[in-house]
């Protein structure tokens, strides 16, 4: 299998003059890996990164673009420090994407920034929620009708622990394997789920098929073991970027990662034919949204 990870040198968040090779790699679902691009923390910020930072019962800390912070335990000072650190990451992640993929800039919508202080390897979850299984991102309650999910990750572990991912086969291979096994789309069921507010909007056939790929991959242990994949330990102090609705990925271990998601209208890609929507539409042979 051709490598699904492209290493990009450089240590300035704003200095990656856009490059056609990187753009097409990202839009083909590869991971852009920046080994020399740390998200720098002050000693005081590093000291915050302890499990006790997380409010009981929550998995992640989040901060939305209005500055609303959720999930932090601790006094006002800790809250302010965490908020400032996450705002800085949001800004650097935006700078990075703007310099790599300038045509996207005015169309990106930033999701809340996410800080993940828990250890992934020991988290207990149902198979469907278990991100240690290879999957493409698709969310049952949030149909997106093909809108892209672009994510910037930095490993900020203060003790040098890598964040270990597995990166799987190209999306087209995932789709060729799991599409024939997918349950048929039912418009009536989609309307019912919407009426019951199980979904936030009407689940399109595209959304249905993406969930079928997500579940098909995660529920198939043989696929998990035997499909083409590489294990990639992202070192502490590194950054990586991918379209997580397209890159087959699994997070195996690590703790203390910070992440920024952006949503991009699918028609704003450089290559319209490369999107999961375009690939699934070609394979299905009819429109999906
Ligand atoms: C995921 O998107 O599946 C998890 C990524 C991570 O926690 O490293
Ligand atoms: Fe994921």
């Amino acid at each position: 299998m051709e490598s699904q990870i492209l290493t990009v040198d450089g240590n300035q968040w704003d200095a990656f003059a856009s490059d056609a090779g990187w753009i097409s790699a990202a839009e083909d679902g590869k991971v852009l890996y920046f080994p020399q691009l740390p998200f720098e923390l002050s000693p005081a910020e590093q000291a915050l990164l302890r499990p006790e930072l997380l409010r009981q019962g929550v998995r992640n800390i989040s901060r939305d673009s209005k500055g609303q912070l959720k999930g932090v335990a601790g006094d006002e000072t800790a809250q302010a420090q965490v908020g400032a650190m996450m705002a800085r990451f949001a800004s650097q992640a935006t700078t990075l994407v703007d310099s790599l993929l300038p045509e996207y800039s005015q169309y990106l919508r930033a999701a809340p920034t996410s800080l993940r202080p828990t250890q992934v390897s020991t988290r207990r979850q149902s198979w469907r929620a278990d991100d240690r299984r290879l999957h493409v991102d698709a969310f049952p309650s949030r149909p997106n009708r093909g809108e892209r999910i672009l994510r910037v990750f930095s490993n900020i572990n203060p003790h040098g622990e890598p964040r270990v991912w597995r990166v799987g086969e190209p999306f087209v291979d995932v789709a060729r394997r799991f599409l024939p096994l997918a349950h048929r789309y039912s418009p009536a069921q989609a309307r019912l789920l919407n009426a019951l507010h199980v979904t936030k909007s009407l689940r399109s056939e595209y959304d249905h098929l993406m969930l079928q790929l997500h579940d098909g991959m995660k529920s198939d242990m043989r696929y998990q073991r035997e499909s083409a994949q590489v294990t990639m330990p992202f070192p502490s102090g590194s950054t990586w970027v991918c379209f997580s609705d397209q890159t087959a990925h699994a997070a195996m271990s690590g703790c203390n990662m910070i992440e920024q998601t952006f949503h991009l209208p699918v028609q704003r890609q450089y290559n319209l034919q490369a999107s999961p929507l375009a690939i699934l539409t070609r394979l299905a042979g009819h429109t999906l949204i």
Side-chain angles (χ1 to χ4, degrees), residues 30 47 54 84 121 157 159 173 191 199 237:
K30 297 192 168 72
L54 205 61
S121 61
N157 186 283
H159 312 293
D173 297 329
R191 283 194 295 273
T199 55

Side-chain angles (χ1 to χ4, degrees), residues 116 120 131 135 137 151 153 163 165 240 249 251 257:
R116 307 183 174 199
V120 214
D131 289 338
H135 64 283
D137 284 351
R151 300 171 74 189
F153 304 86
R163 194 169 195 88
W165 272 30
W240 60 106
H249 64 284
M257 180 270 276

Side-chain angles (χ1 to χ4, degrees), residues 18 28 33 41 58 62 66 116 157 161 180 187 199 203 217 251 264 267 269-270 275 279-280 283:
S18 116
D28 281 340
Y33 166 45
L41 302 188
V58 299
S62 71
K66 296 196 190 76
R116 307 183 174 199
N157 186 283
E161 188 186 348
T199 55
R203 185 182 286 174
M217 295 167 83
L264 175 77
Q267 63 275 23
Q269 287 192 212
Y270 290 77
S275 67
I279 291 170
L280 291 178
L283 292 176

Side-chain angles (χ1 to χ4, degrees), residues 115-152:
L115 173 64
R116 307 183 174 199
T118 42
Q119 173 54 252
V120 214
S121 61
T122 49
R123 220 157 54 192
R124 294 170 74 90
Q125 269 153 340
S126 69
W127 66 266
R128 204 178 249 125
D130 188 354
D131 289 338
R132 292 172 303 184
R133 299 184 184 207
L134 284 165
H135 64 283
V136 288
D137 284 351
F139 302 101
S141 66
R142 283 178 274 152
N144 68 20
R145 310 180 78 80
E147 188 181 51
R148 305 306 314 278
I149 306 174
L150 179 66
R151 300 171 74 189
V152 179

Side-chain angles (χ1 to χ4, degrees), residues 166-181:
R166 290 185 293 145
V167 177
E169 61 187 0
F171 185 87
V172 66
D173 297 329
V174 173
R176 281 204 191 103
R177 189 185 307 252
F178 289 102
L179 211 52
L181 308 173

